[in-house]
Amino acid sequence: EAQVTQNPRYLITVTGKKLTVTCSQNMNHEYMSWYRQDPGLGLRQIYYSMNVEVTDKGDVPEGYKVSRKEKRNFPLILESPSPNQTSLYFCASSSGILPNNEQFFGPGTRLTVL
Amino acid sequence: AQTVTQSQPEMSVQEAETVTLSCTYDTSENNYYLFWYMQPPSRQMILVIRQEAYKQQNATENRFSVNFQKAAKSFSLKISDSQLGDTAMYFCAFAAYGGTSYGKLTFGQGTILTVHP
């Protein structure tokens, strides 16, 4: 089954404790992206990657890191999480760059930083 | 920069009736797409319908249709014969071929739609 997977689905952590949210897709997609969803703000792009070793900042990159060492994986790294990073996170992938390639979303990761 | 505005935080409709969700956007780009996504309680993001800006004909997908007014920068979603399974948060989104929107979806704030039996 073609899909985007994220792990973990739920995570509660404390301020300053480094964490990684994994994202993997099995569709051989070149383009991957991370969004965060907050009430009243919709989804906002954090980082995106057009291919292996090619990443760039989205609208809200502060406090986040990403890497793209393999085509299928695009982990999101929070080196020192803070409470304002409590959010719902989505990974997405597409076969090519938007807008004419449909973006497929993962199931989401609910992160709480205490 | 592109912006997408959904002015209705919440809407409700009776089963089998029709409801329209509003969306306006602002952009200086000429070539772009507009999208409606639904997010049911499962949190999964599901593409409902999309519209290419250069196409004048409004897109339709079964019970879902849009009213695209390019000059007014308006992109509303009409859901006909509403079903309980349509209960979800609906997001309007924009993506362009160039400019600062290149490579990403810009989302509105979302509208929570509840379908009542």
Side-chain angles (χ1 to χ4, degrees):
Chain A
E1 180 188 356
Q3 60 183 346
V4 179
T5 57
Q6 294 178 227
N7 282 291
R9 296 288 310 277
Y10 300 89
L11 179 60
I12 301 174
T13 190
V14 295
T15 298
K17 186 176 181 181
K18 180 179 179 180
L19 66 92
T20 299
V21 183
T22 65
C23 173
S24 182
Q25 49 90 8
N26 62 1
M27 296 169 279
N28 201 37
H29 284 171
E30 292 186 349
Y31 183 88
M32 298 185 74
S33 187
W34 275 103
Y35 294 86
R36 61 177 287 173
Q37 180 181 347
D38 301 291
L41 297 176
L43 283 78
R44 295 173 293 168
Q45 190 184 56
I46 303 170
Y47 269 95
Y48 65 96
S49 169
M50 295 194 189
N51 214 324
V52 175
E53 303 292 0
V54 181
T55 63
D56 207 348
K57 297 177 180 178
D59 292 325
V60 288
E62 295 78 19
Y64 304 95
K65 286 177 56 177
V66 294
S67 69
R68 188 91 180 274
K69 294 183 170 51
E70 303 169 282
K71 196 172 187 178
R72 63 183 292 128
N73 297 323
F74 189 45
L76 180 69
I77 304 157
L78 284 72
E79 295 269 2
S80 182
S82 62
N84 64 12
Q85 293 178 297
T86 293
S87 187
L88 178 59
Y89 291 87
F90 285 97
C91 180
S93 74
S94 60
S95 59
I97 199 76
L98 293 170
N100 53 337
N101 292 283
E102 182 178 348
Q103 200 158 66
F104 295 85
F105 285 82
T109 295
R110 171 72 69 186
L111 172 65
T112 301
V113 183
L114 302 175
Chain B
Q2 282 66 227
T3 59
V4 178
T5 302
Q6 294 177 249
S7 58
Q8 305 155 315
E10 294 187 41
M11 296 277 286
S12 64
V13 65
Q14 292 296 128
E15 199 174 7
E17 293 187 348
T18 295
V19 63
T20 298
L21 308 183
S22 301
C23 172
T24 58
Y25 62 96
D26 190 25
T27 183
S28 58
E29 301 292 332
N30 284 319
N31 298 317
Y32 54 87
Y33 278 65
L34 293 158
F35 308 82
W36 280 99
Y37 282 85
M38 68 178 294
Q39 185 181 51
S42 67
R43 302 190 323 215
Q44 185 68 44
M45 293 289 287
I46 302 167
L47 179 62
V48 174
I49 198 166
R50 68 179 187 173
Q51 173 83 39
E52 299 173 63
Y54 70 86
K55 289 188 176 179
Q56 294 194 355
Q57 185 172 4
N58 289 323
T60 299
E61 288 287 342
N62 301 314
R63 298 181 295 105
F64 298 88
S65 62
V66 298
N67 183 6
F68 175 46
Q69 302 288 328
K70 190 173 184 180
K73 295 181 179 173
S74 170
F75 184 60
S76 60
L77 176 69
K78 185 172 83 171
I79 306 174
S80 304
D81 186 25
S82 297
Q83 301 177 359
L84 296 178
D86 296 336
T87 292
M89 178 168 281
Y90 287 80
F91 290 100
C92 179
F94 169 100
Y97 284 97
T100 59
S101 181
Y102 186 65
K104 71 177 180 188
L105 286 164
T106 298
F107 286 86
Q109 302 90 332
T111 297
I112 299 172
L113 175 68
T114 303
V115 181
H116 296 286

